[in-house]
């Protein structure tokens, strides 16, 4: 006897699958991930979703109509007996003016229905609407293989130039933000699915986009144009803050890097080094797994807020001072800027306030001491081919380590960088 499921026709499987997929879509269980374009949080993303949905409705309508006619014809006119099969085909005709005109008009109508919102939203998403332009905040985002640099042309720091940060873009909420898009190397693409996107960052071309976050929050961004080895983990975050908190954040960022002064050292007294025994994880420096997305204990926005404040009780000034010294000695400073301290490099992310970020390595790892340890000990494990690795760590040809760091040194560097709030 045949097993009942064997007799199920493939068509039935297909139907069942489509039905389940449709149910899943309807109940929304696939649609609220951190990078979902269906869970929109701003007017630009909403306009893009609207165009998408209009297209979905129109094409779904076409699918149902054409599908029904096809199903009807297939069932109604199928051969029911051998006689049917052997019979002459019915008289053939060619061309029916009425049918053709109606089909052409119906298609044109469908396209017009799609074209109206599409054209309207192309204008809308292109630039900040005229009436909001004066209140728009301007930022320049630059793509690097494989991280993002953010510059605030409106915030000039005396004798330095505009404020620069890396990988975490902090913006004012409920206010249009106009983002200039640049790249220093290949084509990248700037995409924050819940807010807006995506627009390419093209060499020698001044692109831009605009977005607005309806509410304060923590949003996920991603490079959306294949750009080499670590393209898939070229991520970033957007943190939207209420006006006052944004102003406070700017004021803090404009400060030079936090220095653990002798006064702080005195206050700390003779705290034992043991508290900071090692940031090294059991995995052995390289981490146990390629952590795809950082998991926060709390929600990421709360985690971000916690990161903004230093807790001197958890800091070891001696270790921090040692880390600052090593940052020069191990040549980290040639690629990274730490404004006010020794770092002056521009080929890597600005680290002036790196301790206040929730992620490192362009949104790849959560910014905790153990994860930072893992990153500094072996950056190429997490981001194959990254420029910190190739430029500063290991000779790609021979595999020989160019900067040798032992555990104690990595610990000190981590303590130092984490103190930069
Ligand atoms: C040859 C240039 C170069 C040198 C030298 C270098 N780095 Fe980097 N560093 C980079 C680049 C490029 C990145 C970005 C990597 C990425 O995310 O693709 C980076 C990323 C980082 C990050 C993560 C920052 C963030 O916000 O994502 C930290 C922390 C860091 N480096 C620390 C160090 C330390 C400590 C040293 C010295 C031991 C060092 N770097 C030496 C180029 C360099
Ligand atoms: Cu990219």
């Amino acid at each position: 006897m045949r097993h009942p499921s064997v007799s199920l026709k493939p068509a039935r499987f297909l139907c069942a699958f489509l039905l389940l997929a449709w149910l899943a879509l309807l109940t929304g269980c696939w649609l609220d991930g951190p990078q979902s374009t269906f869970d929109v949080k701003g007017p630009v993303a909403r306009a893009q979703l609207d165009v998408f949905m209009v297209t979905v409705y129109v094409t779904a309508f076409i699918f149902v109509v054409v599908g029904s006619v096809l199903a009807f014809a297939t069932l109604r006119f199928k051969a029911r007996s051998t006689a049917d099969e052997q019979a002459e085909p019915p008289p053939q005709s060619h061309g029916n003016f009425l049918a053709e005109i109606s089909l052409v008009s119906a298609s044109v109508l469908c396209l017009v229905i799609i074209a109206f919102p599409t054209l309207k939203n192309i204008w809308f998403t292109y630039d900040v609407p005229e009436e909001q332009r004066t209140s728009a905040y301007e930022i320049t985002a630059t793509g690097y293989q494989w991280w993002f640099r953010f510059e605030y042309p409106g915030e000039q720091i005396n004798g330095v130039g505009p404020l620069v940060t890396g990988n975490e873009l902090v913006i004012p909420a409920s206010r249009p933000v106009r983002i200039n898009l640049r790249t220093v190397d290949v084509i990248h693409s700037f995409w924050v699915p819940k807010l807006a996107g995506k627009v390419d960052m093209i060499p020698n071309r001044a692109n831009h986009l605009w977005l607005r976050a309806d509410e304060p929050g923590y949003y996920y961004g991603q490079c959306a144009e294949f750009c080499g080895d670590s393209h898939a983990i070229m991520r970033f975050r957007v943190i939207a803050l209420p006006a006052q908190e944004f102003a406070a954040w700017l004021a803090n960022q404009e400060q030079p890097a936090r220095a653990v002064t002798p006064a702080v050292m005195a206050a700390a007294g003779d705290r034992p080094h043991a508290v900071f025994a090692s940031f090294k994880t059991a995995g052995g420096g390289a981490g146990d797994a390629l952590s795809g997305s950082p998991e926060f204990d709390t929600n990421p926005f709360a985690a971000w807020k916690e990161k903004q404040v230093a807790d001197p009780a958890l800091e070891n000034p001696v270790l921090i001072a040692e880390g600052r010294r090593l940052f020069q000695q191990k040549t980290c400073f040639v690629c990274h800027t730490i404004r006010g301290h020794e770092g002056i490099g521009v080929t890597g992310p600005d680290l002036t306030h790196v301790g206040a970020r929730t992620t490192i390595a362009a949104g790849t790892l959560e910014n905790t001491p153990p994860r930072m340890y893992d990153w500094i000990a072996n950056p190429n494990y997490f981001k194959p081919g990254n420029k910190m690795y190739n430029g500063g760590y290991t000779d790609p040809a021979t595999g020989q380590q160019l900067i040798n760091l032992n555990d104690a040194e990595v610990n000190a560097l981590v303590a130092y960088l984490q103190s930069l709030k």
Side-chain angles (χ1 to χ4, degrees):
M1 201 190 108
R2 284 206 303 168
H3 191 274
S5 72
V6 176
S7 64
L8 265 182
K9 301 237 168 58
R12 284 203 210 159
F13 271 123
L14 191 67
C15 287
F17 173 78
L18 285 177
L19 194 69
L20 282 177
W22 186 238
L23 276 178
L25 274 174
L26 281 184
T27 51
C29 55
W30 291 343
L31 304 181
D32 59 354
Q35 297 198 157
S36 169
T37 47
F38 291 92
D39 185 18
V40 292
K41 300 286 190 226
V44 176
R46 195 165 296 118
Q48 285 159 342
L49 178 61
D50 287 349
V51 172
F52 176 79
M53 288 320 293
V54 166
T55 315
V56 167
Y57 293 139
V58 170
T59 48
F61 172 76
I62 296 173
F63 175 77
V64 169
V65 170
V66 174
S68 315
V69 172
L70 180 66
F72 173 77
T74 314
L75 296 175
R76 173 73 182 74
F77 299 109
K78 80 174 181 184
R80 278 163 220 281
S81 61
T82 330
D84 274 353
E85 272 166 26
Q86 284 160 1
E88 281 295 309
Q92 303 292 301
S93 67
H94 179 79
N96 178 319
F97 184 71
L98 199 62
E100 278 168 20
I101 278 292
S102 349
L103 285 177
V104 170
S105 335
S107 315
V108 169
L109 183 69
C110 288
L111 290 177
V112 169
I113 293 176
I114 295 177
F116 266 107
T118 304
L119 288 171
K120 193 179 126 226
N121 284 330
I122 284 177
W123 299 135
F124 177 70
T125 55
Y126 180 70
D127 209 341
V128 185
E130 197 75 41
E131 67 280 5
Q132 299 177 39
R133 211 159 282 174
T134 45
S135 68
Y137 191 81
E138 194 187 345
I139 289 167
T140 300
T142 308
Y144 285 67
Q145 284 174 318
W146 290 271
W147 58 281
F148 292 88
R149 173 183 188 267
F150 300 116
E151 192 180 291
Y152 294 70
E155 320 299 332
Q156 295 290 331
I157 302 168
N158 258 345
V160 176
L163 170 67
V164 171
T165 67
N167 295 328
E168 294 200 345
L169 172 61
V170 180
I171 59 168
S174 323
R175 186 173 160 187
V177 179
R178 192 176 192 277
I179 305 178
N180 305 310
L181 302 170
R182 307 284 184 269
T183 170
V184 295
D185 38 49
V186 299
I187 302 179
H188 301 278
S189 184
F190 184 94
W191 189 29
V192 198
K194 293 192 179 188
L195 298 182
K198 43 185 103 150
V199 176
D200 279 6
M201 306 166 123
I202 299 175
N204 298 322
R205 199 192 143 89
N207 276 353
H208 67 263
L209 64 69
W210 80 279
L211 51 80
R212 197 180 74 208
D214 289 336
E215 292 156 28
Y218 187 95
Y219 305 96
Y220 290 68
Q222 169 84 47
C223 171
E225 176 69 50
F226 179 71
C227 58
D229 297 27
S230 279
H231 155 71
I233 40 179
M234 177 171 169
R235 303 176 187 158
F236 62 104
R237 299 289 190 271
V238 176
I239 293 105
L241 297 177
Q244 274 190 348
E245 283 174 42
F246 180 65
W249 177 83
L250 280 179
N252 183 53
Q253 290 287 313
E254 286 168 25
Q255 296 296 315
R258 186 165 158 257
V260 179
T261 60
V264 176
M265 283 170 117
D270 258 355
R271 252 167 332 108
H273 254 69
V275 179
F276 305 94
S278 180
F279 296 126
K280 189 171 174 175
T281 49
D288 34 355
L290 234 172
S291 152
S293 358
E295 298 281 343
F296 300 100
D297 292 343
T298 48
N299 78 65
F301 195 30
W304 184 86
K305 288 186 173 172
E306 273 171 33
K307 276 268 167 200
Q308 303 310 303
V309 275
D311 185 353
L314 294 174
E315 293 180 328
N316 182 335
V318 182
L319 203 59
I320 291 172
E322 170 67 358
R324 182 168 169 180
R325 191 186 65 74
L326 285 166
F327 199 79
Q328 297 171 71
Q329 196 205 37
K330 300 291 177 184
T331 71
C332 316
F333 78 105
V334 294
C335 293
H336 293 287
T337 294
I338 299 189
R339 192 162 28 85
H341 291 189
E342 294 73 22
I344 46 162
V346 291
T347 52
D350 186 297
L351 299 179
T352 310
H353 297 277
V354 69
R357 291 182 206 149
T358 44
T359 59
I360 51 169
T364 308
L365 300 171
E366 187 178 345
N367 186 15
T368 58
R371 275 319 202 184
M372 192 181 258
Y373 183 107
D374 293 342
W375 170 256
I376 294 173
N378 193 357
N380 201 52
Y381 177 83
F382 297 102
K383 286 187 98 162
N386 80 80
K387 307 281 169 153
M388 169 144 149
Y389 168 78
N390 285 330
Y393 267 69
T394 311
D395 183 340
T398 64
Q400 189 207 347
Q401 192 99 8
L402 300 177
I403 303 179
N404 277 306
L405 298 170
N406 62 33
D407 286 353
E409 288 166 340
V410 180
N411 265 333
L413 284 164
V414 171
Y416 169 53
L417 294 174
Q418 290 292 329
S419 79
L420 302 175
K421 294 288 181 181

